[in-house]
Amino acid sequence: MIKIEKIHGTLLLIGAEDDVLWDTAKYICRMELRMKERPHTCRLESVIYDHATHFVFPESMLKAMLPIGSGIFMKLVFQAARKYPKECQTARLDIDQRVKNAILEWGSQFIEESMCKSE
């Protein structure tokens, strides 16, 4: 097991209150508390959605995995996706943006570090 405070870099924790397969909200809160109590160099970003189901994938990833019928699949598998389809899709779109931003930030840091090393 990797202790969360030992992670270097950016950590993006994403979960949902209506995750029926794993209590992500509970464990994200525990990890946030652990990070507050211990020294670390990690940049932590966490978000817990009210409605996003267990599949807290970015919308673009879900569409890539299931190019046809992803919305139908989600509604068949998760009751929350049937009850809150707009909220779940809004969460996936927000996750998409958060992941893209994290990757762009990482990429720009990587390029900056590479340039400093070559000087």
Side-chain angles (χ1 to χ4, degrees):
M1 176 174 72
I2 299 172
K3 294 180 179 178
I4 190 168
E5 66 273 10
K6 301 291 184 188
I7 296 172
H8 299 282
T10 300
L11 186 59
L12 182 57
L13 304 175
I14 299 173
E17 290 285 350
D18 63 0
D19 185 338
V20 294
L21 299 177
W22 192 62
D23 194 351
T24 53
K26 173 184 169 182
Y27 291 103
I28 287 173
C29 290
R30 281 188 184 178
M31 288 183 273
E32 288 173 329
L33 181 61
R34 186 176 177 102
M35 295 295 272
K36 286 178 186 171
E37 294 173 341
R38 291 173 171 78
H40 62 86
T41 60
C42 180
R43 187 180 78 75
L44 177 65
E45 180 181 345
S46 61
V47 61
I48 300 170
Y49 298 95
D50 290 332
H51 304 292
T53 76
H54 179 71
F55 276 17
V56 287
F57 295 127
E59 181 73 3
S60 61
M61 181 184 284
L62 186 62
K63 296 282 186 197
M65 292 186 308
L66 298 166
I68 299 172
S70 59
I72 294 168
F73 171 78
M74 292 299 289
K75 290 176 186 174
L76 287 172
V77 176
F78 297 106
Q79 181 179 5
R82 285 191 299 276
K83 285 177 127 174
Y84 305 100
K86 289 180 184 175
E87 292 88 342
C88 289
Q89 184 177 33
T90 299
R92 288 192 306 273
L93 290 167
D94 186 61
I95 294 165
D96 216 334
Q97 193 59 53
R98 288 175 186 272
V99 170
K100 285 176 187 175
N101 290 344
I103 291 170
L104 288 171
E105 180 183 313
W106 173 80
S108 64
Q109 288 175 354
F110 179 77
I111 291 168
E112 189 175 300
E113 288 173 12
S114 297
M115 291 177 72
C116 288
K117 288 179 184 178
S118 66
E119 291 178 350

